[in-house]
Amino acid sequence: RKHDTMGGLAAHRRSCDGGIWRCDWCACTITEAHNRRVPGPKGSGTLCGNCGGRWRSGATGPPTRNALGQYVCDACGSTHETMGGLAGHKRFCEGIVENLMDDDDDVD
């Protein structure tokens, strides 16, 4: 890529990955991440949008995967083909477990 100024070239070099960027946690490419690179524990632009959301929510690493490469819910063990599917499931997973108990049920 051509740049008109040295400053433009320097700015490009700071963010250029040579076309080989991968998320530090899930190893998706920039295309799979929909051109979205977000800050992570190792600095700016190290995680994809999905992993960045997990990191901001307190996760300390990538989601668990089984031998088939499916994402596994840590709370209930259900499997999902995509990280988006896992994220959609997790929004309701713990809520459903909590809502199964009535207010007058005793917990040992």
Side-chain angles (χ1 to χ4, degrees):
R1 187 170 172 190
K2 288 188 174 192
H3 300 280
D4 294 332
T5 64
M6 289 297 289
L9 176 61
H12 173 79
R13 282 188 172 173
R14 281 193 297 273
S15 63
C16 181
D17 58 20
I20 55 171
W21 180 88
R22 289 202 173 269
C23 174
D24 279 356
W25 282 6
C26 71
C28 73
T29 63
I30 190 68
T31 305
E32 295 166 330
H34 306 290
N35 291 321
R36 210 165 154 224
R37 295 183 289 187
V38 299
K42 292 184 181 177
S44 179
T46 56
L47 299 179
C48 66
N50 288 333
C51 290
R54 286 178 46 82
W55 182 66
R56 285 188 305 273
S57 296
T60 58
T64 307
R65 288 183 146 182
N66 64 12
L68 300 174
Q70 298 171 321
Y71 296 98
V72 180
C73 175
D74 296 329
C76 70
S78 65
T79 58
H80 304 274
E81 294 294 323
T82 64
M83 192 181 300
L86 175 64
H89 163 78
K90 282 194 165 194
R91 285 191 305 226
F92 302 102
C93 179
E94 292 181 1
I96 292 173
V97 171
E98 291 172 4
N99 290 335
L100 291 176
M101 295 180 58
D102 293 329
D103 291 336
D104 58 344
D105 286 345
D106 291 329
V107 179
D108 294 325

